[in-house]
CSV table of all heavy atoms in Angstrom, one decimal:
chain,number,residue,atom,x,y,z
A,241,THR,N,-19.8,9.2,1.6
A,241,THR,CA,-19.1,9.7,2.8
A,241,THR,C,-19.4,8.8,3.9
A,241,THR,O,-20.6,8.4,4.2
A,241,THR,CB,-19.5,11.1,3.1
A,241,THR,OG1,-19.0,11.9,2.1
A,241,THR,CG2,-18.9,11.5,4.5
A,242,VAL,N,-18.4,8.4,4.8
A,242,VAL,CA,-18.6,7.4,5.9
A,242,VAL,C,-17.9,7.9,7.2
A,242,VAL,O,-16.8,8.3,7.0
A,242,VAL,CB,-18.1,6.0,5.6
A,242,VAL,CG1,-18.2,5.1,6.7
A,242,VAL,CG2,-18.8,5.4,4.4
A,243,ARG,N,-18.6,7.8,8.3
A,243,ARG,CA,-18.0,8.1,9.5
A,243,ARG,C,-18.3,6.8,10.4
A,243,ARG,O,-19.4,6.5,10.6
A,243,ARG,CB,-18.7,9.4,10.2
A,243,ARG,CG,-18.4,9.4,11.7
A,243,ARG,CD,-17.0,9.8,12.0
A,243,ARG,NE,-16.8,9.9,13.5
A,243,ARG,CZ,-15.5,9.8,14.1
A,243,ARG,NH1,-14.5,9.8,13.3
A,243,ARG,NH2,-15.5,9.9,15.3
A,244,VAL,N,-17.3,6.2,10.9
A,244,VAL,CA,-17.4,5.1,11.9
A,244,VAL,C,-17.1,5.7,13.3
A,244,VAL,O,-16.0,6.2,13.5
A,244,VAL,CB,-16.4,3.9,11.6
A,244,VAL,CG1,-16.6,2.9,12.6
A,244,VAL,CG2,-16.8,3.4,10.2
A,245,HIS,N,-18.1,5.7,14.2
A,245,HIS,CA,-18.0,6.4,15.4
A,245,HIS,C,-18.2,5.4,16.6
A,245,HIS,O,-19.1,4.6,16.6
A,245,HIS,CB,-19.1,7.5,15.4
A,245,HIS,CG,-18.9,8.4,16.6
A,245,HIS,ND1,-18.2,9.6,16.5
A,245,HIS,CD2,-19.4,8.4,17.9
A,245,HIS,CE1,-18.3,10.3,17.6
A,245,HIS,NE2,-19.0,9.6,18.5
A,246,ASP,N,-17.3,5.5,17.5
A,246,ASP,CA,-17.4,4.7,18.8
A,246,ASP,C,-18.1,5.5,19.9
A,246,ASP,O,-17.7,6.6,20.1
A,246,ASP,CB,-16.1,4.2,19.2
A,246,ASP,CG,-15.5,3.2,18.1
A,246,ASP,OD1,-16.2,2.3,17.6
A,246,ASP,OD2,-14.3,3.3,17.8
A,247,GLU,N,-19.0,4.9,20.5
A,247,GLU,CA,-19.8,5.6,21.6
A,247,GLU,C,-19.0,6.3,22.6
A,247,GLU,O,-18.0,5.9,23.1
A,247,GLU,CB,-20.7,4.6,22.3
A,247,GLU,CG,-21.6,5.1,23.3
A,247,GLU,CD,-22.4,4.0,24.0
A,247,GLU,OE1,-21.9,2.9,24.1
A,247,GLU,OE2,-23.4,4.3,24.5
A,248,CYS,N,-19.5,7.5,22.9
A,248,CYS,CA,-19.0,8.3,24.0
A,248,CYS,C,-20.1,9.0,24.6
A,248,CYS,O,-20.4,10.2,24.2
A,248,CYS,CB,-17.9,9.3,23.5
A,248,CYS,SG,-17.2,10.4,24.8
A,249,ASN,N,-20.8,8.5,25.6
A,249,ASN,CA,-21.9,8.9,26.1
A,249,ASN,C,-21.8,10.4,26.7
A,249,ASN,O,-22.6,11.3,26.4
A,249,ASN,CB,-22.4,8.1,27.3
A,249,ASN,CG,-23.7,8.5,27.9
A,249,ASN,OD1,-24.7,8.5,27.2
A,249,ASN,ND2,-23.8,8.8,29.1
A,250,GLY,N,-20.7,10.7,27.4
A,250,GLY,CA,-20.4,12.0,28.0
A,250,GLY,C,-20.4,13.0,27.0
A,250,GLY,O,-21.0,14.1,27.2
A,251,SER,N,-19.8,12.8,25.8
A,251,SER,CA,-19.7,13.9,24.8
A,251,SER,C,-21.0,13.8,23.8
A,251,SER,O,-21.6,14.8,23.6
A,251,SER,CB,-18.4,13.7,24.0
A,251,SER,OG,-18.4,14.7,22.9
A,252,ASP,N,-21.3,12.6,23.3
A,252,ASP,CA,-22.3,12.4,22.3
A,252,ASP,C,-23.6,12.9,22.8
A,252,ASP,O,-24.4,13.5,22.1
A,252,ASP,CB,-22.4,11.0,21.9
A,252,ASP,CG,-21.2,10.4,21.2
A,252,ASP,OD1,-20.3,11.3,20.7
A,252,ASP,OD2,-21.0,9.2,21.1
A,253,VAL,N,-24.0,12.6,24.0
A,253,VAL,CA,-25.3,12.8,24.6
A,253,VAL,C,-25.3,14.1,25.5
A,253,VAL,O,-26.2,15.0,25.3
A,253,VAL,CB,-25.8,11.6,25.4
A,253,VAL,CG1,-27.2,11.9,26.1
A,253,VAL,CG2,-25.9,10.4,24.6
A,254,PHE,N,-24.3,14.2,26.4
A,254,PHE,CA,-24.4,15.2,27.4
A,254,PHE,C,-23.5,16.4,27.0
A,254,PHE,O,-23.4,17.4,27.8
A,254,PHE,CB,-23.9,14.7,28.7
A,254,PHE,CG,-25.0,13.8,29.3
A,254,PHE,CD1,-24.9,12.4,29.2
A,254,PHE,CD2,-26.1,14.3,30.0
A,254,PHE,CE1,-25.9,11.5,29.7
A,254,PHE,CE2,-27.1,13.4,30.4
A,254,PHE,CZ,-27.1,12.1,30.3
Side-chain angles (χ1 to χ4, degrees):
T241 293
V242 173
R243 164 73 183 164
V244 177
H245 191 90
D246 294 317
E247 180 182 29
C248 176
N249 184 61
S251 178
D252 297 341
V253 178
F254 292 99

